PDB file of all heavy atoms in Angstrom:
ATOM      1  N   HIS A   1      37.606-109.305  -2.242  1.00  0.00           N
ATOM      2  CA  HIS A   1      36.183-109.566  -2.430  1.00  0.00           C
ATOM      3  C   HIS A   1      35.245-108.357  -2.356  1.00  0.00           C
ATOM      4  O   HIS A   1      34.148-108.419  -2.910  1.00  0.00           O
ATOM      5  CB  HIS A   1      35.708-110.590  -1.394  1.00  0.00           C
ATOM      6  CG  HIS A   1      36.363-111.920  -1.546  1.00  0.00           C
ATOM      7  ND1 HIS A   1      36.112-112.763  -2.607  1.00  0.00           N
ATOM      8  CD2 HIS A   1      37.285-112.544  -0.792  1.00  0.00           C
ATOM      9  CE1 HIS A   1      36.838-113.853  -2.488  1.00  0.00           C
ATOM     10  NE2 HIS A   1      37.560-113.746  -1.395  1.00  0.00           N
ATOM     11  N   TRP A   2      35.613-107.273  -1.679  1.00  0.00           N
ATOM     12  CA  TRP A   2      34.635-106.227  -1.395  1.00  0.00           C
ATOM     13  C   TRP A   2      35.129-104.813  -1.664  1.00  0.00           C
ATOM     14  O   TRP A   2      34.727-103.861  -1.016  1.00  0.00           O
ATOM     15  CB  TRP A   2      34.095-106.373   0.042  1.00  0.00           C
ATOM     16  CG  TRP A   2      33.324-107.649   0.092  1.00  0.00           C
ATOM     17  CD1 TRP A   2      33.765-108.846   0.572  1.00  0.00           C
ATOM     18  CD2 TRP A   2      32.043-107.875  -0.454  1.00  0.00           C
ATOM     19  NE1 TRP A   2      32.834-109.822   0.356  1.00  0.00           N
ATOM     20  CE2 TRP A   2      31.747-109.245  -0.270  1.00  0.00           C
ATOM     21  CE3 TRP A   2      31.093-107.076  -1.088  1.00  0.00           C
ATOM     22  CZ2 TRP A   2      30.556-109.822  -0.703  1.00  0.00           C
ATOM     23  CZ3 TRP A   2      29.912-107.653  -1.512  1.00  0.00           C
ATOM     24  CH2 TRP A   2      29.655-109.006  -1.314  1.00  0.00           C
ATOM     25  N   ASP A   3      35.960-104.666  -2.676  1.00  0.00           N
ATOM     26  CA  ASP A   3      36.385-103.349  -3.166  1.00  0.00           C
ATOM     27  C   ASP A   3      37.020-102.453  -2.114  1.00  0.00           C
ATOM     28  O   ASP A   3      36.887-101.232  -2.167  1.00  0.00           O
ATOM     29  CB  ASP A   3      35.215-102.592  -3.821  1.00  0.00           C
ATOM     30  CG  ASP A   3      34.725-103.287  -5.078  1.00  0.00           C
ATOM     31  OD1 ASP A   3      35.569-103.885  -5.775  1.00  0.00           O
ATOM     32  OD2 ASP A   3      33.508-103.235  -5.345  1.00  0.00           O
ATOM     33  N   TYR A   4      37.714-103.052  -1.163  1.00  0.00           N
ATOM     34  CA  TYR A   4      38.479-102.232  -0.215  1.00  0.00           C
ATOM     35  C   TYR A   4      39.726-101.770  -0.946  1.00  0.00           C
ATOM     36  O   TYR A   4      40.450-102.581  -1.524  1.00  0.00           O
ATOM     37  CB  TYR A   4      38.848-103.045   1.031  1.00  0.00           C
ATOM     38  CG  TYR A   4      39.749-102.303   1.982  1.00  0.00           C
ATOM     39  CD1 TYR A   4      39.268-101.237   2.733  1.00  0.00           C
ATOM     40  CD2 TYR A   4      41.084-102.650   2.129  1.00  0.00           C
ATOM     41  CE1 TYR A   4      40.092-100.542   3.606  1.00  0.00           C
ATOM     42  CE2 TYR A   4      41.907-101.963   3.008  1.00  0.00           C
ATOM     43  CZ  TYR A   4      41.414-100.917   3.735  1.00  0.00           C
ATOM     44  OH  TYR A   4      42.223-100.227   4.603  1.00  0.00           O
ATOM     45  N   ASN A   5      39.986-100.466  -0.969  1.00  0.00           N
ATOM     46  CA  ASN A   5      41.156 -99.959  -1.704  1.00  0.00           C
ATOM     47  C   ASN A   5      41.968 -98.965  -0.892  1.00  0.00           C
ATOM     48  O   ASN A   5      42.654 -98.131  -1.442  1.00  0.00           O
ATOM     49  CB  ASN A   5      40.718 -99.343  -3.034  1.00  0.00           C
ATOM     50  CG  ASN A   5      39.703 -98.228  -2.841  1.00  0.00           C
ATOM     51  OD1 ASN A   5      39.467 -97.779  -1.721  1.00  0.00           O
ATOM     52  ND2 ASN A   5      39.103 -97.787  -3.932  1.00  0.00           N
ATOM     53  N   ASP A   6      41.892 -99.093   0.413  1.00  0.00           N
ATOM     54  CA  ASP A   6      42.672 -98.223   1.293  1.00  0.00           C
ATOM     55  C   ASP A   6      43.931 -98.989   1.723  1.00  0.00           C
ATOM     56  O   ASP A   6      44.199-100.090   1.249  1.00  0.00           O
ATOM     57  CB  ASP A   6      41.810 -97.813   2.500  1.00  0.00           C
ATOM     58  CG  ASP A   6      42.178 -96.432   3.046  1.00  0.00           C
ATOM     59  OD1 ASP A   6      43.273 -95.938   2.728  1.00  0.00           O
ATOM     60  OD2 ASP A   6      41.379 -95.875   3.810  1.00  0.00           O
ATOM     61  N   ALA A   7      44.665 -98.430   2.653  1.00  0.00           N
ATOM     62  CA  ALA A   7      45.926 -99.022   3.105  1.00  0.00           C
ATOM     63  C   ALA A   7      45.712-100.370   3.790  1.00  0.00           C
ATOM     64  O   ALA A   7      44.727-100.580   4.485  1.00  0.00           O
ATOM     65  CB  ALA A   7      46.622 -98.068   4.075  1.00  0.00           C
ATOM     66  N   LEU A   8      46.654-101.259   3.587  1.00  0.00           N
ATOM     67  CA  LEU A   8      46.701-102.521   4.327  1.00  0.00           C
ATOM     68  C   LEU A   8      47.573-102.268   5.552  1.00  0.00           C
ATOM     69  O   LEU A   8      48.736-102.644   5.599  1.00  0.00           O
ATOM     70  CB  LEU A   8      47.290-103.638   3.456  1.00  0.00           C
ATOM     71  CG  LEU A   8      46.478-104.029   2.221  1.00  0.00           C
ATOM     72  CD1 LEU A   8      47.208-105.054   1.389  1.00  0.00           C
ATOM     73  CD2 LEU A   8      45.105-104.527   2.623  1.00  0.00           C
ATOM     74  N   ASP A   9      46.984-101.611   6.538  1.00  0.00           N
ATOM     75  CA  ASP A   9      47.746-101.154   7.698  1.00  0.00           C
ATOM     76  C   ASP A   9      47.353-101.834   8.999  1.00  0.00           C
ATOM     77  O   ASP A   9      47.891-101.531  10.056  1.00  0.00           O
ATOM     78  CB  ASP A   9      47.611 -99.635   7.845  1.00  0.00           C
ATOM     79  CG  ASP A   9      46.161 -99.186   8.018  1.00  0.00           C
ATOM     80  OD1 ASP A   9      45.248-100.043   8.069  1.00  0.00           O
ATOM     81  OD2 ASP A   9      45.936 -97.962   8.086  1.00  0.00           O
ATOM     82  N   GLY A  10      46.413-102.760   8.940  1.00  0.00           N
ATOM     83  CA  GLY A  10      46.003-103.451  10.163  1.00  0.00           C
ATOM     84  C   GLY A  10      45.152-102.598  11.091  1.00  0.00           C
ATOM     85  O   GLY A  10      44.979-102.934  12.256  1.00  0.00           O
ATOM     86  N   GLN A  11      44.621-101.510  10.568  1.00  0.00           N
ATOM     87  CA  GLN A  11      43.731-100.634  11.339  1.00  0.00           C
ATOM     88  C   GLN A  11      42.361-100.664  10.657  1.00  0.00           C
ATOM     89  O   GLN A  11      42.196-100.085   9.594  1.00  0.00           O
ATOM     90  CB  GLN A  11      44.273 -99.200  11.374  1.00  0.00           C
ATOM     91  CG  GLN A  11      45.667 -99.072  11.940  1.00  0.00           C
ATOM     92  CD  GLN A  11      45.751 -99.510  13.391  1.00  0.00           C
ATOM     93  OE1 GLN A  11      44.931 -99.131  14.216  1.00  0.00           O
ATOM     94  NE2 GLN A  11      46.735-100.320  13.696  1.00  0.00           N
ATOM     95  N   LEU A  12      41.408-101.349  11.277  1.00  0.00           N
ATOM     96  CA  LEU A  12      40.078-101.439  10.681  1.00  0.00           C
ATOM     97  C   LEU A  12      39.330-100.138  10.944  1.00  0.00           C
ATOM     98  O   LEU A  12      38.658 -99.979  11.954  1.00  0.00           O
ATOM     99  CB  LEU A  12      39.311-102.642  11.242  1.00  0.00           C
ATOM    100  CG  LEU A  12      39.949-104.015  10.979  1.00  0.00           C
ATOM    101  CD1 LEU A  12      39.115-105.128  11.583  1.00  0.00           C
ATOM    102  CD2 LEU A  12      40.166-104.240   9.487  1.00  0.00           C
ATOM    103  N   GLY A  13      39.505 -99.228  10.016  1.00  0.00           N
ATOM    104  CA  GLY A  13      38.875 -97.917  10.120  1.00  0.00           C
ATOM    105  C   GLY A  13      37.615 -97.852   9.277  1.00  0.00           C
ATOM    106  O   GLY A  13      37.077 -98.876   8.840  1.00  0.00           O
ATOM    107  N   THR A  14      37.167 -96.646   9.012  1.00  0.00           N
ATOM    108  CA  THR A  14      35.907 -96.421   8.317  1.00  0.00           C
ATOM    109  C   THR A  14      35.837 -97.151   6.973  1.00  0.00           C
ATOM    110  O   THR A  14      34.839 -97.815   6.678  1.00  0.00           O
ATOM    111  CB  THR A  14      35.702 -94.902   8.109  1.00  0.00           C
ATOM    112  OG1 THR A  14      35.729 -94.269   9.385  1.00  0.00           O
ATOM    113  CG2 THR A  14      34.384 -94.610   7.426  1.00  0.00           C
ATOM    114  N   ASN A  15      36.879 -97.060   6.165  1.00  0.00           N
ATOM    115  CA  ASN A  15      36.824 -97.693   4.845  1.00  0.00           C
ATOM    116  C   ASN A  15      36.839 -99.210   4.929  1.00  0.00           C
ATOM    117  O   ASN A  15      36.197 -99.883   4.125  1.00  0.00           O
ATOM    118  CB  ASN A  15      37.953 -97.175   3.951  1.00  0.00           C
ATOM    119  CG  ASN A  15      37.716 -95.744   3.530  1.00  0.00           C
ATOM    120  OD1 ASN A  15      36.567 -95.303   3.428  1.00  0.00           O
ATOM    121  ND2 ASN A  15      38.773 -94.990   3.303  1.00  0.00           N
ATOM    122  N   SER A  16      37.548 -99.766   5.895  1.00  0.00           N
ATOM    123  CA  SER A  16      37.523-101.220   6.098  1.00  0.00           C
ATOM    124  C   SER A  16      36.106-101.662   6.446  1.00  0.00           C
ATOM    125  O   SER A  16      35.584-102.646   5.893  1.00  0.00           O
ATOM    126  CB  SER A  16      38.467-101.629   7.233  1.00  0.00           C
ATOM    127  OG  SER A  16      39.806-101.321   6.933  1.00  0.00           O
ATOM    128  N   TRP A  17      35.481-100.924   7.354  1.00  0.00           N
ATOM    129  CA  TRP A  17      34.140-101.306   7.791  1.00  0.00           C
ATOM    130  C   TRP A  17      33.085-101.039   6.723  1.00  0.00           C
ATOM    131  O   TRP A  17      32.075-101.755   6.645  1.00  0.00           O
ATOM    132  CB  TRP A  17      33.798-100.658   9.129  1.00  0.00           C
ATOM    133  CG  TRP A  17      34.508-101.391  10.229  1.00  0.00           C
ATOM    134  CD1 TRP A  17      35.611-100.981  10.919  1.00  0.00           C
ATOM    135  CD2 TRP A  17      34.192-102.699  10.723  1.00  0.00           C
ATOM    136  NE1 TRP A  17      36.005-101.960  11.821  1.00  0.00           N
ATOM    137  CE2 TRP A  17      35.138-103.019  11.713  1.00  0.00           C
ATOM    138  CE3 TRP A  17      33.208-103.631  10.415  1.00  0.00           C
ATOM    139  CZ2 TRP A  17      35.127-104.234  12.402  1.00  0.00           C
ATOM    140  CZ3 TRP A  17      33.185-104.843  11.102  1.00  0.00           C
ATOM    141  CH2 TRP A  17      34.143-105.130  12.083  1.00  0.00           C
ATOM    142  N   LYS A  18      33.295-100.063   5.864  1.00  0.00           N
ATOM    143  CA  LYS A  18      32.362 -99.873   4.750  1.00  0.00           C
ATOM    144  C   LYS A  18      32.379-101.098   3.839  1.00  0.00           C
ATOM    145  O   LYS A  18      31.333-101.586   3.397  1.00  0.00           O
ATOM    146  CB  LYS A  18      32.718 -98.620   3.942  1.00  0.00           C
ATOM    147  CG  LYS A  18      32.296 -97.324   4.580  1.00  0.00           C
ATOM    148  CD  LYS A  18      32.685 -96.145   3.684  1.00  0.00           C
ATOM    149  CE  LYS A  18      32.257 -94.830   4.287  1.00  0.00           C
ATOM    150  NZ  LYS A  18      32.658 -93.692   3.416  1.00  0.00           N
ATOM    151  N   ALA A  19      33.587-101.589   3.549  1.00  0.00           N
ATOM    152  CA  ALA A  19      33.699-102.794   2.718  1.00  0.00           C
ATOM    153  C   ALA A  19      33.046-103.984   3.424  1.00  0.00           C
ATOM    154  O   ALA A  19      32.316-104.765   2.802  1.00  0.00           O
ATOM    155  CB  ALA A  19      35.160-103.077   2.404  1.00  0.00           C
ATOM    156  N   MET A  20      33.273-104.125   4.721  1.00  0.00           N
ATOM    157  CA  MET A  20      32.661-105.228   5.472  1.00  0.00           C
ATOM    158  C   MET A  20      31.138-105.084   5.470  1.00  0.00           C
ATOM    159  O   MET A  20      30.415-106.068   5.331  1.00  0.00           O
ATOM    160  CB  MET A  20      33.206-105.243   6.905  1.00  0.00           C
ATOM    161  CG  MET A  20      32.644-106.373   7.759  1.00  0.00           C
ATOM    162  SD  MET A  20      33.072-108.033   7.176  1.00  0.00           S
ATOM    163  CE  MET A  20      34.738-108.173   7.788  1.00  0.00           C
ATOM    164  N   GLN A  21      30.642-103.870   5.600  1.00  0.00           N
ATOM    165  CA  GLN A  21      29.194-103.654   5.584  1.00  0.00           C
ATOM    166  C   GLN A  21      28.592-104.022   4.226  1.00  0.00           C
ATOM    167  O   GLN A  21      27.469-104.545   4.165  1.00  0.00           O
ATOM    168  CB  GLN A  21      28.857-102.200   5.957  1.00  0.00           C
ATOM    169  CG  GLN A  21      29.046-101.906   7.425  1.00  0.00           C
ATOM    170  CD  GLN A  21      28.941-100.428   7.752  1.00  0.00           C
ATOM    171  OE1 GLN A  21      29.199 -99.551   6.912  1.00  0.00           O
ATOM    172  NE2 GLN A  21      28.579-100.124   8.997  1.00  0.00           N
ATOM    173  N   ARG A  22      29.320-103.778   3.141  1.00  0.00           N
ATOM    174  CA  ARG A  22      28.825-104.191   1.813  1.00  0.00           C
ATOM    175  C   ARG A  22      28.646-105.705   1.777  1.00  0.00           C
ATOM    176  O   ARG A  22      27.622-106.212   1.282  1.00  0.00           O
ATOM    177  CB  ARG A  22      29.779-103.721   0.706  1.00  0.00           C
ATOM    178  CG  ARG A  22      29.717-102.228   0.449  1.00  0.00           C
ATOM    179  CD  ARG A  22      30.438-101.826  -0.833  1.00  0.00           C
ATOM    180  NE  ARG A  22      31.886-101.991  -0.767  1.00  0.00           N
ATOM    181  CZ  ARG A  22      32.717-101.060  -0.272  1.00  0.00           C
ATOM    182  NH1 ARG A  22      32.249 -99.911   0.184  1.00  0.00           N
ATOM    183  NH2 ARG A  22      34.018-101.276  -0.268  1.00  0.00           N
ATOM    184  N   PHE A  23      29.613-106.419   2.315  1.00  0.00           N
ATOM    185  CA  PHE A  23      29.533-107.887   2.388  1.00  0.00           C
ATOM    186  C   PHE A  23      28.366-108.319   3.267  1.00  0.00           C
ATOM    187  O   PHE A  23      27.549-109.164   2.863  1.00  0.00           O
ATOM    188  CB  PHE A  23      30.866-108.429   2.941  1.00  0.00           C
ATOM    189  CG  PHE A  23      30.790-109.845   3.448  1.00  0.00           C
ATOM    190  CD1 PHE A  23      30.553-110.903   2.586  1.00  0.00           C
ATOM    191  CD2 PHE A  23      30.965-110.116   4.795  1.00  0.00           C
ATOM    192  CE1 PHE A  23      30.488-112.218   3.059  1.00  0.00           C
ATOM    193  CE2 PHE A  23      30.904-111.412   5.279  1.00  0.00           C
ATOM    194  CZ  PHE A  23      30.658-112.462   4.405  1.00  0.00           C
ATOM    195  N   LEU A  24      28.276-107.728   4.442  1.00  0.00           N
ATOM    196  CA  LEU A  24      27.221-108.114   5.386  1.00  0.00           C
ATOM    197  C   LEU A  24      25.834-107.765   4.851  1.00  0.00           C
ATOM    198  O   LEU A  24      24.865-108.494   5.094  1.00  0.00           O
ATOM    199  CB  LEU A  24      27.469-107.451   6.744  1.00  0.00           C
ATOM    200  CG  LEU A  24      28.760-107.877   7.459  1.00  0.00           C
ATOM    201  CD1 LEU A  24      29.008-107.000   8.688  1.00  0.00           C
ATOM    202  CD2 LEU A  24      28.731-109.354   7.817  1.00  0.00           C
ATOM    203  N   LYS A  25      25.719-106.682   4.109  1.00  0.00           N
ATOM    204  CA  LYS A  25      24.433-106.283   3.508  1.00  0.00           C
ATOM    205  C   LYS A  25      24.029-107.291   2.430  1.00  0.00           C
ATOM    206  O   LYS A  25      22.854-107.659   2.302  1.00  0.00           O
ATOM    207  CB  LYS A  25      24.536-104.879   2.926  1.00  0.00           C
ATOM    208  CG  LYS A  25      23.200-104.331   2.445  1.00  0.00           C
ATOM    209  CD  LYS A  25      23.312-102.867   2.035  1.00  0.00           C
ATOM    210  CE  LYS A  25      22.021-102.158   2.326  1.00  0.00           C
ATOM    211  NZ  LYS A  25      22.045-101.217   3.379  1.00  0.00           N
ATOM    212  N   ALA A  26      25.000-107.736   1.649  1.00  0.00           N
ATOM    213  CA  ALA A  26      24.717-108.656   0.548  1.00  0.00           C
ATOM    214  C   ALA A  26      24.274-110.039   1.046  1.00  0.00           C
ATOM    215  O   ALA A  26      23.436-110.682   0.407  1.00  0.00           O
ATOM    216  CB  ALA A  26      25.952-108.790  -0.349  1.00  0.00           C
TER     217      ALA A  26
END
């Protein structure tokens, strides 16, 4: 849903949270 394109590693790092912030902003 939010253009996350980093590793699916179970570590919510900067890129995971950027994608989440896009969702939360919208």
Side-chain angles (χ1 to χ4, degrees):
H1 296 290
W2 294 99
D3 295 326
Y4 174 71
N5 57 11
D6 210 343
L8 295 175
D9 59 2
Q11 303 298 313
L12 299 180
T14 302
N15 289 331
S16 297
W17 283 105
K18 282 181 179 179
M20 181 63 79
Q21 287 170 334
R22 287 192 292 274
F23 163 66
L24 296 171
K25 187 173 212 110

